[in-house]
Amino acid sequence: MNKLVLRGAVWVASDIHLSEAVPETARAFYDFLDRARRQADALILCGDIFDAWIGDDHALRDPPDWLAAALDALRATAADLPLWLVRGNRDFLMGRALADALGARLLDAPAVLDTDAGAILLAHGDEFCTDDLAYQRFRRIVHTPWIQHVFLALPLSLRRAIAARARARSRQARRHKTMAIMDVNAAAIARALREAGCDALIHGHTHRPAVHALDLDGRAARRYVLPDWEFDRDPPPRGGWIEIDATGIQLKQI
């Protein structure tokens, strides 16, 4: 498992789902990046930064205006403080070419963060939704290296069409799933914490921000769930992040 030493104020955010369709969300997120540049010592974006990602070449060759603006904001952030990118379930195809172009670093998760608040397990979170068997089968398929290689070799137009179809099928499938099935599995969380040797976990993905107290083999543990960002479609506006420093771990919501 990856381990990363980070000192000072570390901020973590996820599930911004940037796309052409969410200009107000993008503006709120860019304001957050400006704040992080002034106040944080490191920033981790813990997956689903983008609503979809069909390959680094799409971003680096001739990005549409909304994507060019997003990349400019991330590049400016990385110029001022260490910026780490974690792949999510929507942008799992983000690669090192993108990170290099932004001056950021790609962090393979799950990872253990060695911070001033202690050791913390960090993950996007979808890997813990083990009750959703159909999703986990899909996840295993799309994370297969040769399948990713084949997809990235397709023309951009075909990749866009495949991604749009996959999103539509995902939305349809979610209508028939309970919230319990789409949430994390308690046994999977406990197993991950034991394997990592941590008493704290930070993850996103579920869009259900909270701080959960856990009993881990007789020890007190905590699970911190990051909020998603939405300022365009579903009122009220929401967003937030987690701050880690010597005083502890705090969930901040807008």
Side-chain angles (χ1 to χ4, degrees):
M1 183 176 295
N2 285 329
K3 293 187 178 181
L4 180 63
V5 178
L6 294 170
R7 293 289 175 256
V10 180
W11 289 18
V12 186
S14 75
D15 296 280
I16 304 98
H17 295 276
L18 293 172
S19 74
E20 187 175 18
V22 291
E24 295 304 319
T25 301
R27 274 189 279 271
F29 177 62
Y30 301 156
D31 287 343
F32 163 75
L33 292 180
D34 288 341
R35 182 173 177 179
R37 290 163 64 184
R38 296 191 304 271
Q39 300 179 18
D41 296 303
L43 174 62
I44 302 173
L45 299 179
C46 195
D48 285 5
I49 306 162
F50 300 96
D51 196 47
W53 196 258
I54 59 173
D56 291 358
D57 56 339
H58 167 58
L60 301 179
R61 287 181 188 171
D62 186 23
D65 290 344
W66 73 267
L67 181 52
L71 299 179
D72 286 345
L74 292 170
R75 190 177 294 109
T77 301
D80 284 348
L81 80 166
L83 173 63
W84 298 86
L85 309 179
V86 175
R87 300 177 182 95
N89 59 293
R90 296 295 188 96
D91 49 17
F92 61 89
L93 287 173
M94 285 193 305
R96 301 201 180 276
L98 171 68
D100 290 345
L102 297 177
R105 282 164 272 192
L106 203 60
L107 177 61
D108 291 327
V112 174
L113 308 181
D114 179 350
T115 75
D116 291 340
I120 303 168
L121 179 62
L122 178 76
H124 177 63
D126 60 323
E127 60 266 63
F128 304 132
C129 299
T130 55
D131 292 330
D132 191 343
L133 300 180
Y135 171 73
Q136 292 300 327
R137 285 194 296 270
F138 171 78
R139 187 177 186 275
R140 285 193 294 272
I141 291 170
V142 299
H143 281 79
T144 302
W146 73 264
I147 290 178
Q148 292 186 1
H149 179 77
V150 170
F151 177 80
L152 292 173
L154 296 173
L156 279 173
S157 58
L158 184 53
R159 279 184 263 165
R160 291 191 190 98
I162 293 172
R165 179 173 174 81
R167 289 197 300 274
R169 293 183 65 179
S170 175
R171 287 192 294 269
Q172 181 66 25
R174 288 173 66 89
R175 296 193 184 103
H176 303 289
K177 294 178 181 179
T178 66
M179 290 300 295
I181 287 177
M182 292 188 291
D183 204 353
V184 299
N185 175 278
I189 294 294
R191 182 167 57 251
L193 285 168
R194 288 191 196 101
E195 291 175 354
C198 296
D199 292 332
L201 164 66
I202 295 173
H203 72 82
H205 179 67
T206 63
H207 301 187
R208 302 175 75 177
V211 180
H212 300 274
L214 309 175
D215 183 336
L216 185 66
D217 306 324
R219 304 193 315 274
R222 293 287 186 274
R223 176 168 68 92
Y224 299 83
V225 187
L226 289 155
D228 66 317
W229 291 67
E230 175 56 76
F231 285 73
D232 289 271
R233 294 171 294 203
D234 300 326
R238 61 186 184 270
W241 66 98
I242 281 175
E243 295 183 11
I244 307 165
D245 59 24
T247 66
I249 307 170
Q250 297 183 60
L251 173 62
K252 304 282 189 176
Q253 295 192 64
I254 295 174

